[in-house]
């Protein structure tokens, strides 16, 4: 590797290397090395991890962080290490034909099939990972670590932030595109007195969201449909939210999304698009081969600039943009901690390979946000009223920028 290891390595024959304290990279079978030699880089290592040929005991993210930094060595170092590995492989007779891909690997999934591949893992699996709020998007940590907020509080703070930015008031109609398990609709109806419609392409989400709404006694005011957002015809709505759904869209799909936002909101109404986006440092590294073959076969991130431009061309006016990337690091850290803590139960629900995919997914995502390769933006738009009918409205109560003292300082407790 060309650098001292901060973690240990233990091979299938009992041999060890690296540090003898802390975390350990475990090579359980010669197939792990064979997979990496046949497909060098992220995909070969991911296949070995998902198949169970290797694992990381201890700090999953810490080990992956150092492995990633080592891959930044010069190409001469990497060639030398590769030749040495090849000689070792020949000596130990671990080379051989390619190994079959893990059954969890998929190729070419698009549209509803890709969405269901990601979201139809099972409600109980998601509940273990996400916690009681069942919110699967970046949380908001007001006050940072020193405020002592947990994941549930941070997710409720995010839902409230979205409602305030949209200026929700009693009697308004809210449309939630890609509504997940209905958490935003429930929060908006319970705390802001709105009526609402949510749409999703995932059957399990629609089913559980409808049950949660019925149990809350709100089925006369809020409903969730198994429906493509482009098929919504009962608009326009007073406000529209789109929370972390644009990364499922193709390049042309982003244009359709922007047009739908403008079509589905009333003149003078607000739209909030909460989007994952690619940052300048990450453009050459996206899309990730692991992401496209395992958790997110349709993953496609836009730049925040193009998203805003498409919305503007569709007739929307940008009111506000807030970068909340720093809030995603503690969010994903808590999701990963929940999964690690409940790994045995999660494996019983979803199987070994699915749990391995999600462990790797969260670790890769956390490092990507931490390194500034990907980001999260709150883009708030207004559909302008006709010319000559301008009305100045006050900002909704509580809508403000976080103070400098509220910036996240680290990982809040989960």
């Amino acid at each position: 590797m060309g650098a001292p290891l901060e973690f240990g390595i233990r091979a299938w024959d009992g041999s060890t290397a690296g540090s003898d304290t802390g975390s350990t990279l475990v090579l359980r079978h010669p197939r792990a090395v064979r997979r990496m030699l046949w497909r060098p880089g992220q995909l070969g290592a991911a296949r070995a991890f998902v198949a169970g040929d290797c694992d990381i005991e201890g700090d999953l993210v810490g080990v992956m962080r150092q492995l990633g930094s080592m891959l930044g060595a010069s190409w001469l170092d990497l060639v030398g290490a590769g030749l040495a590995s090849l000689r070792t492989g020949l000596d130990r007779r671990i080379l051989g034909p390619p190994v079959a891909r893990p059954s969890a690997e998929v190729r070419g999934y698009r549209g509803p099939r890709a969405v269901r591949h990601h979201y139809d893992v099972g409600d109980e699996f998601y509940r273990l990972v996400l916690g009681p709020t069942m919110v699967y998007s970046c949380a908001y940590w007001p006050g940072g670590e020193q405020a002592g907020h947990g994941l549930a509080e941070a997710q409720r703070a995010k839902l409230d932030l979205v409602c305030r930015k949209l200026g929700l008031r009693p009697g308004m109609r809210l449309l939630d595109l890609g509504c997940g398990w209905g958490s935003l609709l429930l929060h908006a109806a319970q705390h802001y007195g709105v009526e609402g419609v949510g749409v999703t392409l995932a059957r399990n989400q629609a089913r559980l969201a409808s049950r949660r709404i019925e149990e809350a006694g709100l089925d006369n005011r809020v409903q969730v449909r198994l429906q493509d957002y482009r098929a919504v015809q009962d608009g326009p709505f007073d406000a529209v939210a789109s929370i972390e759904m644009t990364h499922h869209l193709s390049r042309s799909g982003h244009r359709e999304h922007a047009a739908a936002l403008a079509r589905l909101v009333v003149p003078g109404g607000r739209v909030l698009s909460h989007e994952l986006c690619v940052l300048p440092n990450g453009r050459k590294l996206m899309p990730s081969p692991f992401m496209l073959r395992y958790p997110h076969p349709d993953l496609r991130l836009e730049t925040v600039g193009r998203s805003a431009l498409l919305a503007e061309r569709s007739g929307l006016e940008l009111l506000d943009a807030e970068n909340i990337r720093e809030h995603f690091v503690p969010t994903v850290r808590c999701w990963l901690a929940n999964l690690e803590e409940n790994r045995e139960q999660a494996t019983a629900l979803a199987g070994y390979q699915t749990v391995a995919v999600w462990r790797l997914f969260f670790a890769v995502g956390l490092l990507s946000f931490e390194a500034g390769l990907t980001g999260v933006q709150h883009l708030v738009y207004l559909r302008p009223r006709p010319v000559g009918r301008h009305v100045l409205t006050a900002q909704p109560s509580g809508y403000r920028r976080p103070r400098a003292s509220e910036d996240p300082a680290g990982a809040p407790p989960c």
Side-chain angles (χ1 to χ4, degrees), residues 299-366:
L299 179 68
R300 191 183 188 285
L301 302 182
E302 273 294 358
T303 64
V304 63
R306 184 168 188 266
S307 290
L309 178 62
L310 291 174
E312 184 181 65
R313 288 175 175 173
S314 297
L316 296 174
E317 178 182 345
L318 181 64
L319 288 182
D320 184 73
E322 182 179 0
N323 184 342
I324 61 171
R325 175 176 67 86
E326 295 292 341
H327 296 259
F328 221 153
V329 173
T331 302
V332 179
R333 188 181 290 118
C334 283
W335 289 342
L336 179 57
N338 287 343
L339 181 56
E340 296 285 52
E341 182 179 345
N342 297 285
R343 197 194 312 179
E344 184 176 340
Q345 187 177 353
T347 302
L349 289 169
Y352 180 91
Q353 289 195 9
T354 297
V355 172
V357 167
W358 282 76
R359 291 178 68 206
L360 200 55
F361 170 44
F362 287 144
V364 169
L366 190 153

Side-chain angles (χ1 to χ4, degrees), residues 174-325:
L174 169 67
L175 174 63
D176 186 4
L177 307 184
C179 65
W181 291 272
S183 298
L184 175 60
L185 289 169
L186 284 165
H187 186 87
Q190 290 169 335
H191 299 282
Y192 288 82
V194 305
E195 299 178 359
V197 172
V199 295
T200 176
L201 293 176
R203 290 185 179 88
N204 65 313
Q205 288 186 338
R207 184 170 54 249
L208 180 56
S210 296
R211 188 164 73 243
R212 295 176 74 197
I213 290 167
E214 183 177 358
E215 289 172 353
L218 294 169
D219 47 319
N220 61 332
R221 290 167 49 196
V222 179
Q223 63 171 291
V224 169
R225 307 170 185 161
L226 186 65
Q227 183 181 35
D228 190 305
Y229 74 92
R230 293 167 296 187
V232 175
Q233 299 296 328
D234 53 338
F237 293 79
D238 298 301
V240 178
S242 173
I243 310 295
E244 282 185 33
M245 65 159 286
T246 57
H247 54 280
H248 291 293
L249 305 176
S250 65
R251 190 170 179 84
S252 62
H254 278 267
R255 288 194 294 270
E256 293 176 324
H257 177 259
L261 294 178
R263 173 177 66 86
L264 291 168
V265 69
V266 298
R270 293 184 182 183
V271 170
L272 186 143
S273 189
H274 172 137
E275 302 184 8
L276 303 182
C277 58
V278 62
L279 299 178
N281 290 338
R283 291 182 189 178
K284 293 182 180 180
L285 301 176
M286 294 293 174
S288 154
F290 161 70
M291 291 290 190
L292 293 179
R293 296 290 185 93
Y294 289 95
H296 267 305
D298 61 347
L299 179 68
R300 191 183 188 285
L301 302 182
E302 273 294 358
T303 64
V304 63
R306 184 168 188 266
S307 290
L309 178 62
L310 291 174
E312 184 181 65
R313 288 175 175 173
S314 297
L316 296 174
E317 178 182 345
L318 181 64
L319 288 182
D320 184 73
E322 182 179 0
N323 184 342
I324 61 171
R325 175 176 67 86

Side-chain angles (χ1 to χ4, degrees), residues 158-168 184 187-188 192 396:
K158 188 274 299 298
L159 296 177
D160 207 55
L161 181 69
V162 169
C163 292
R164 296 201 311 269
K165 287 186 174 184
L166 286 171
L168 298 184
L184 175 60
H187 186 87
Y192 288 82

Side-chain angles (χ1 to χ4, degrees), residues 19-67:
S19 172
D20 59 0
T21 61
S23 303
T24 304
L25 171 62
V26 182
L27 304 176
R28 292 173 172 164
H29 196 279
R31 285 189 304 264
V33 180
R34 193 181 303 174
R35 289 181 189 278
M36 296 176 199
L37 290 175
W38 273 102
R39 192 61 186 261
Q42 188 183 91
L43 188 55
R47 285 172 172 169
F49 189 89
V50 172
D53 295 332
C54 72
D55 197 2
I56 294 173
E57 297 175 352
D59 184 2
L60 174 65
V61 175
V63 173
M64 290 180 60
R65 184 182 290 114
Q66 192 188 14
L67 287 173

